[in-house]
Amino acid sequence: MIEFKIGKQKVSIPTDWSELTLSQAIGLADNKDGDIIRTISIITGLDYEICYRLRSGDVEALLVPCLTFLNESFDQDRINDAKPPDTFTINGKTFSKYYSPGAMIYAQHLNLQALIAETNKRDIDKLAPCIAICCQKPETYNEDEQKRLENGAGWLPIYTAYSIGVFFFAQWQTFSNLQNSRQNLTTLMSRFGRASKSSPNLAHSIP
């Protein structure tokens, strides 16, 4: 991370994919046409209009060299290997315990289920709301707080946000598989019970 002063504002410029925040990564993913001014705006956090009026010499000498990492392939293996931290901070609050889907109140359960089922959202867009749903204590879960945490989660480093989100998604998948297995077993046992009642007594059928 490199710090610059642009006008009266100090900005921190990431020099590696791991230094991007979740919001910056989403912004870059949305910048499909590769607009360099928008890229600089996303990376610096400065308004587009301010970046539009930066001196070309400053952009070429100071900013562009810092952004060469964007031309490199994203290291998917590296982010996949990222481990979720023991604690993380959002909006000044520290969260140190992850709650399993089975421990959640039903409102959390339904909101997470709906989020995961959304087909019109990219996986990266689901990370912040997933974290905001799952990191809250079940007994104090609040949907208004969820919105605030979702906005705050955008400031997490992308590797941190990804590792936490994947952790929650994996827990949900395990929980769902367990629930499906129990449901299938209950259905099977129910069918077996009905079949047993309707089946002839074979012992009495033997002459």
Side-chain angles (χ1 to χ4, degrees):
M1 196 78 72
I2 298 179
E3 289 190 350
F4 288 106
K5 190 171 183 180
I6 299 178
K8 295 182 179 180
Q9 290 183 266
K10 287 184 178 180
V11 296
S12 296
I13 311 293
T15 58
D16 184 81
W17 285 105
S18 64
E19 294 177 344
L20 288 177
T21 66
L22 174 58
S23 291
Q24 287 173 324
I26 291 174
L28 292 174
D30 290 339
N31 187 23
K32 295 181 175 61
D33 59 358
D35 181 341
I36 184 62
I37 297 175
R38 187 165 301 284
T39 296
I40 293 171
S41 175
I42 292 166
I43 292 297
T44 61
L46 298 173
D47 290 340
Y48 186 91
E49 184 64 21
I50 293 175
C51 295
Y52 184 81
R53 297 190 173 278
L54 291 174
R55 296 179 194 174
S56 58
D58 290 340
V59 171
E60 294 298 327
L62 300 177
L63 298 179
V64 171
C66 298
L67 303 180
T68 55
F69 75 94
L70 295 176
N71 296 322
E72 301 170 2
S73 297
F74 188 78
D75 191 342
Q76 191 65 45
D77 290 337
R78 186 177 171 190
I79 196 170
N80 286 340
D81 291 339
K83 304 299 181 186
D86 292 332
T87 62
F88 58 95
T89 302
I90 302 177
N91 297 344
K93 296 180 180 179
T94 299
F95 299 89
S96 58
K97 185 175 182 180
Y98 302 159
Y99 301 95
S100 66
M104 292 177 181
I105 63 170
Y106 209 53
Q108 281 174 293
H109 172 91
L110 292 177
N111 286 337
L112 181 59
Q113 185 178 49
L115 173 67
I116 291 175
E118 282 193 57
T119 57
N120 61 337
K121 277 190 175 183
R122 301 168 301 187
D123 288 345
I124 195 172
D125 296 321
K126 296 180 180 181
L127 291 176
C130 173
I131 293 169
I133 291 169
C134 297
C135 72
Q136 294 188 64
K137 292 182 178 180
E139 62 270 20
T140 57
Y141 174 75
N142 181 286
E143 290 184 342
D144 291 333
E145 178 66 4
Q146 179 184 320
K147 291 296 181 185
R148 290 188 286 269
L149 289 171
E150 185 175 333
N151 291 331
W155 292 95
L156 290 171
I158 180 59
Y159 281 26
T160 300
Y162 183 88
S163 65
I164 297 169
V166 167
F167 174 85
F168 286 136
F169 285 138
Q171 279 200 319
W172 173 261
Q173 188 62 54
T174 300
F175 179 76
S176 298
N177 289 342
L178 180 61
Q179 291 294 96
N180 290 336
S181 296
R182 286 174 177 169
Q183 185 176 3
N184 291 339
L185 180 60
T186 301
T187 301
L188 180 63
M189 293 301 291
S190 174
R191 289 175 181 171
F192 178 77
R194 290 197 299 270
S196 297
K197 292 177 182 178
S198 61
S199 297
N201 189 325
L202 296 182
H204 290 226
S205 300
I206 300 174

